[in-house]
Amino acid sequence: MNQANFRKHIQKLFKEQEKLLARRNRRSPSGNGIFDRYEFPVLTAAHAPIAWRYDLDRKTNPLLLERIAVNAAFNAGALLHGGKYLVIARVEGADRKSFFAVAESPNGIDSFRFWDYPILMPETSEPDTNVYDMRLVKHQDGWIYGLFCTERKDPKTPAWDTSSAVAQCGIARTRDLKTWERLADLKSKSPQQRNVVLHPEFVDGQYAFYTRPQDDFIQAGKGGGIGWGLSPSIENAVVANEIIVDNREYHTIQEVKNGLGPAPIKTKQGWLHLAHGVRNTAAGLRYVLYLFLAGLERPWVITHKPAGYFIAPEGDERVGDVSNVVFSNGWIEKKNGDVLIYYASSDTRLHVAASTVARLLDYVLHTPADPLRSRGCVEQRYALIEKNFAALKTMKLPAGKPPREAKAKRITAKKRQS
């Protein structure tokens, strides 16, 4: 490839990517009143900068081959900072190693562009093999914290066992999301910790953590559930005592395991939480998202929790590296009460959904809890059906018939009479 063709191919690469980066996102026409999906993912592997993937020097890459491939961009923490919508995505290379990178958008729904360089996260004395799924929080102490999973090979297993891992909570802090200070990993009595979230305010003068204790890397074992614990220090965080805030439960969306998503949103009615639940199916594990509300003065006490899932994978979201999965560790509350929810699908790409604090609270406060029995679920529906029949009667609509169908029959009858 001569110099002219080499230059032309580089220009083509940038031009094709620019079409993707500049693409406008649109709300999906159908919604359930609680939230709205958007038509396109906000981040994919193709959003990764050309300079991260190609060697653009003709002397060392005369055929213009992709040198360091990117496999996926997903599971992002989110922050509205300095008037800019920022997400810190989990970017996974073709080599399975994940790293963090900041992407910026002018409106939070499209035109996300990665900063020039990914985050070169400092290591502890025990280097991480893999890092991923950062939760971002602006804390009362003035720092921006990133809590993430740090994964290392399990030293207690034999050398031939190359799949056993130990997960713990890594902690780093920053002022500008560019320069990061790595702190010691969180210590607790649990063998493994994943999906740990920092509460945004002090509780009794201490740092508060939502944990997810596990006996094993994948299986919760005797552990599991969303935990709660306090630490007097963040530089050397130790949760000496954990209580379980939200248990795993048989034959529910969270029977296998569950974990908190982003840090909660503070409302007048309480702390609004987004979490993920996992159940087993014949096709493997299924991840969905759910909401709950906890007390303002006692954030470890759940006051309201709707039954079932809030968001589940649909359509193309069900297809990817790890299928039938939605996962969230980032959302942004705007000053006007709008909420942007960033969720990943099937460990492959990042999406956004839009709602408001008012709508989410209405859903959480007035949706029935799970009665944990089939008969109880039917009794809930009976109560709703009877309530709706009464409402239709006051509107002089036939009970049990859709309003449009009833109206159409009345119009047809009038035409026959005339």
Side-chain angles (χ1 to χ4, degrees), residues 47-56 66-70 91 99-102 114-119:
H47 283 74
I50 303 298
W52 293 10
R53 297 180 280 142
Y54 286 83
D55 179 355
L56 301 178
E66 186 180 46
R67 291 297 192 207
I68 308 179
V70 169
V91 181
F99 56 89
F100 300 120
V102 180
F114 281 107
W115 287 359
D116 287 343
Y117 293 89
I119 296 172

Side-chain angles (χ1 to χ4, degrees), residues 7 12 50 64 102 104 114 141 149 168 211 219 237-238 256 264 286 302 305 314 318 342 345 375 389:
R7 179 184 175 85
K12 183 180 179 182
I50 303 298
L64 198 57
V102 180
E104 180 180 322
F114 281 107
D141 70 2
C149 182
Q168 295 296 345
T211 62
Q219 302 298 328
V238 178
V256 173
R286 172 175 166 86
I302 294 178
K305 183 182 175 184
E314 290 186 356
R318 298 187 68 252
Y342 297 95
S345 67
R375 181 179 175 86
F389 282 173

Side-chain angles (χ1 to χ4, degrees), residues 185-368:
D185 294 349
L186 176 70
K187 293 181 176 60
S188 71
K189 294 179 181 178
S190 174
Q192 306 221 19
Q193 287 282 4
R194 300 175 80 178
N195 303 297
V196 177
V197 181
L198 180 65
H199 190 67
E201 296 182 359
F202 289 112
V203 175
D204 295 332
Q206 300 188 74
Y207 290 90
F209 294 87
Y210 301 93
T211 62
R212 209 276 293 281
Q214 288 201 187
D215 293 344
D216 185 70
F217 182 68
I218 299 296
Q219 302 298 328
K222 294 179 181 179
I226 297 173
W228 168 268
L230 302 177
S231 172
S233 168
I234 191 72
E235 287 81 7
N236 291 282
V238 178
V239 172
N241 297 296
E242 282 178 282
I243 61 171
I244 299 300
V245 174
D246 191 27
N247 280 296
R248 296 184 295 138
E249 194 73 48
Y250 168 70
H251 208 83
T252 66
I253 60 167
Q254 58 194 71
E255 66 181 10
V256 173
K257 51 188 172 180
N258 57 323
L260 201 62
I265 293 174
K266 190 175 186 180
T267 75
K268 292 181 180 179
Q269 286 81 3
W271 292 98
L272 182 63
H273 288 269
L274 178 64
H276 66 268
V278 186
R279 70 178 178 93
N280 215 343
T281 74
L285 298 179
R286 172 175 166 86
Y287 281 67
V288 297
L289 303 178
Y290 66 97
L291 292 172
F292 64 87
L293 193 69
L296 277 179
E297 301 302 322
R298 299 196 299 166
W300 58 92
V301 177
I302 294 178
T303 59
H304 298 80
K305 183 182 175 184
Y309 60 74
F310 164 60
I311 296 179
E314 290 186 356
D316 292 343
E317 295 172 354
R318 298 187 68 252
V319 180
D321 278 4
V322 184
S323 298
N324 206 14
V325 168
V326 286
F327 187 93
S328 177
N329 50 296
W331 60 3
I332 289 176
E333 178 195 8
K334 299 165 70 173
K335 288 184 179 180
N336 65 356
D338 289 347
V339 179
L340 296 176
I341 303 163
Y342 297 95
Y343 69 97
S345 67
S346 298
D347 282 12
T348 301
R349 60 196 79 81
L350 185 70
H351 306 264
V352 66
S355 188
T356 66
V357 171
R359 287 180 181 274
L360 297 178
L361 283 175
D362 188 293
Y363 165 75
V364 171
L365 292 172
H366 302 113
T367 302

Side-chain angles (χ1 to χ4, degrees), residues 108-148:
I109 59 172
D110 54 31
S111 302
F112 273 96
R113 296 171 185 266
F114 281 107
W115 287 359
D116 287 343
Y117 293 89
I119 296 172
L120 190 61
M121 182 61 68
E123 297 180 319
T124 64
S125 58
E126 187 180 2
D128 320 283
T129 298
N130 203 28
V131 293
Y132 47 90
D133 300 354
M134 181 183 287
R135 275 80 170 172
L136 281 171
V137 62
K138 286 185 177 179
H139 195 271
Q140 188 178 0
D141 70 2
W143 283 95
I144 298 172
Y145 288 92
L147 274 67
F148 52 91

Side-chain angles (χ1 to χ4, degrees), residues 24-40:
R24 295 301 178 192
N25 219 344
R26 299 184 294 267
R27 287 196 188 217
S28 297
S30 59
N32 59 5
I34 308 168
F35 68 92
D36 292 308
R37 279 175 160 87
Y38 275 81
E39 183 175 357
F40 302 118

